[in-house]
Amino acid sequence: MHRLYLYYCYQLGILPKKQQPHINRPELERIWKDTERILAEHAFVHDHKFPSLQAIVDYRKGLSQRMETLAAQRAEVVKQMRRKDAPPELADQRMALTCKIAKLRKEDKIAEGAIKRIQRTRESNRIDRENQEQRTNHTRRRERSQQR
């Protein structure tokens, strides 16, 4: 009789049914994307062996200058391609310059993310130190008041 009661409770939804595992695919994809970005930033900083944040900023300035020169070269190639007697290898040259610029932009984006991550980490470390100091000061005051 007890089994029959439990069965009816199960059918009515009073007893919980076994839940199927639910995978939130967009959230998992976002987590993986964030993980890949973080790993790319760590690999970037490790591969270039930057000693400080200022070194990354300087490297980024150099990247922007290289991108500007490559963009100017590409613009010149495009200008030459507009002529009637333009050689066909100019299209390959333009594509090569575009690929180089794309690589530099990707590297610049990774460097920017690394800079932001370092700044956020420094800020959170500073806040943690301040909170730790406040806790130690609070416990010292409490100990002094208890000693009196």
Side-chain angles (χ1 to χ4, degrees), residues 11-131:
Q11 289 297 328
L12 291 172
I14 297 170
L15 290 178
K17 297 181 179 181
K18 288 186 181 178
Q19 294 182 354
Q20 297 296 325
H22 180 67
I23 297 173
N24 190 352
R25 187 158 186 91
E27 180 140 354
L28 285 176
E29 289 176 356
R30 185 186 56 78
I31 290 170
W32 278 112
K33 185 178 178 184
D34 289 348
T35 304
E36 289 173 0
R37 189 182 77 240
I38 291 169
L39 289 175
E41 291 170 4
H42 283 286
F44 172 76
V45 172
H46 183 268
D47 291 344
H48 293 287
K49 295 180 175 50
F50 291 116
S52 67
L53 180 64
Q54 188 60 38
I56 300 174
V57 172
D58 294 339
Y59 182 80
R60 224 178 135 212
K61 288 178 185 175
L63 277 178
S64 66
Q65 291 173 354
R66 281 193 280 171
M67 281 191 291
E68 288 173 4
T69 57
L70 288 175
Q73 289 175 1
R74 184 177 62 181
E76 186 63 35
V77 168
V78 169
K79 189 188 293 183
Q80 292 174 3
M81 287 176 64
R82 291 184 183 149
R83 297 182 185 155
K84 287 184 180 179
D85 58 344
E89 60 268 358
L90 286 178
D92 294 334
Q93 188 178 3
R94 181 188 66 184
M95 185 59 91
L97 288 171
T98 302
C99 290
K100 287 179 185 178
I101 291 171
K103 286 180 185 177
L104 291 177
R105 283 182 181 154
K106 185 176 180 182
E107 196 169 337
D108 185 51
K109 186 175 180 182
I110 292 172
E112 180 185 8
I115 289 171
K116 287 180 181 177
R117 184 169 304 283
I118 290 170
Q119 289 172 342
R120 278 195 313 258
T121 304
R122 284 185 178 175
E123 181 66 22
S124 65
N125 287 345
R126 183 187 60 77
I127 291 171
D128 287 344
R129 276 195 309 270
E130 289 175 358
N131 289 341

Side-chain angles (χ1 to χ4, degrees), residues 2-20:
H2 181 66
R3 286 186 205 158
L4 189 59
Y5 170 73
L6 290 177
Y7 174 74
Y8 286 129
C9 288
Y10 175 76
Q11 289 297 328
L12 291 172
I14 297 170
L15 290 178
K17 297 181 179 181
K18 288 186 181 178
Q19 294 182 354
Q20 297 296 325

